[in-house]
Amino acid sequence: MKTVFFDLETTGVDFERSAVIQIGAILDVDGEEVDRIDIKLRPHEGANIDSKALAVTGLTIEDLMEDGSRFSPQQGYWAFMKFLGFRPSQRVTIPDRIHRAGYNILGFDNRFLEILGSRAGDNYTFAKFHWPGIDVASIACAGLRSYRGGMKDFKLMSVAKMLGLDTEGQAHDALFDVQVTRDLYYEIISRGL
């Protein structure tokens, strides 16, 4: 079973106006990591850039606009699809589809990925994935429901710390966050939560 654990960093929470600026992903086959990718993107033309969102990532507008190694949104999207084994205008059949997993992807990342795909000329982003996706936040919520009342929040790092996982690193770096998400997923599964 092929699964991509992924996380996006954005310039805000407005799906239509904010930009995806980083895609972190780990490709997993039958529970084993087979590859990982860290794609950094420039914001799309006219993107809303919220200073609070940048503060969370530790980036500046100059970092986003002047770093020549960042992909355009279209290049970044297709680099991600190529990483997954897809190419433009490829007809995807059900056996080709990949499971996608992430923390709060159903409420956040999926919508941003769909819009990024549309901006890159791909109106069939989700034809490449099994529906609806594995939302590790939802799984954690179900498994930890008796603890929720005593938790200050249910953010990824808070939940991971509660279960004793290593959270030392750069939170809100997409690749780091996706590593913690994957670890959290397998921890929850192994505990039978």
Side-chain angles (χ1 to χ4, degrees):
M1 177 175 60
K2 192 185 271 190
T3 304
V4 61
F5 288 85
F6 79 101
D7 183 62
L8 305 177
E9 294 300 328
T10 66
T11 62
V13 296
D14 182 328
F15 299 115
E16 296 293 334
R17 297 181 53 218
S18 300
V20 174
I21 55 173
Q22 186 183 14
I23 304 169
I26 296 174
L27 190 57
D28 182 301
V29 176
D30 298 327
E32 298 294 323
E33 179 180 334
V34 295
D35 205 357
R36 60 177 51 208
I37 195 166
D38 185 10
I39 303 168
K40 298 195 181 354
L41 299 85
R42 289 186 309 276
H44 61 271
E45 185 71 32
N48 182 48
I49 301 175
D50 185 328
S51 60
K52 291 178 186 172
L54 286 188
V56 166
T57 63
L59 296 170
T60 66
I61 291 175
E62 292 76 26
D63 294 332
L64 297 178
M65 305 310 266
E66 295 174 12
D67 180 353
S69 67
R70 287 185 172 271
F71 287 102
S72 72
Q74 182 175 11
Q75 291 168 325
Y77 174 81
W78 286 111
F80 181 49
M81 290 299 121
K82 181 179 178 186
F83 169 75
L84 298 175
F86 300 116
R87 60 189 186 285
S89 71
Q90 174 185 356
R91 181 172 164 75
V92 177
T93 63
I94 291 173
D96 299 326
R97 290 181 182 166
I98 297 174
H99 292 279
R100 65 188 184 286
Y103 199 86
N104 192 31
I105 63 167
L106 299 181
F108 190 81
D109 301 79
N110 280 348
R111 185 72 178 121
F112 270 103
L113 182 61
E114 180 180 35
I115 291 170
L116 181 64
S118 181
R119 285 191 177 114
D122 185 3
N123 294 319
Y124 302 100
T125 299
F126 289 115
K128 297 166 182 64
F129 301 100
H130 292 290
W131 182 84
I134 302 166
D135 194 328
V136 178
S138 296
I139 295 169
C141 183
L144 300 173
R145 63 188 176 277
S146 62
Y147 300 97
R148 282 297 297 273
M151 297 178 69
K152 69 175 183 144
D153 61 47
F154 211 71
K155 294 178 181 175
L156 171 61
M157 295 305 159
S158 299
V159 175
K161 281 181 189 175
M162 181 183 176
L163 293 178
L165 298 177
D166 181 11
T167 59
E168 294 300 316
Q170 177 61 43
H172 296 290
D173 172 85
L175 192 55
F176 178 75
D177 287 356
V178 83
Q179 179 64 61
V180 173
T181 298
R182 183 175 177 270
D183 292 346
L184 177 60
Y185 173 75
Y186 284 115
E187 184 67 21
I188 290 167
I189 299 301
S190 72
R191 291 185 185 206
L193 295 175

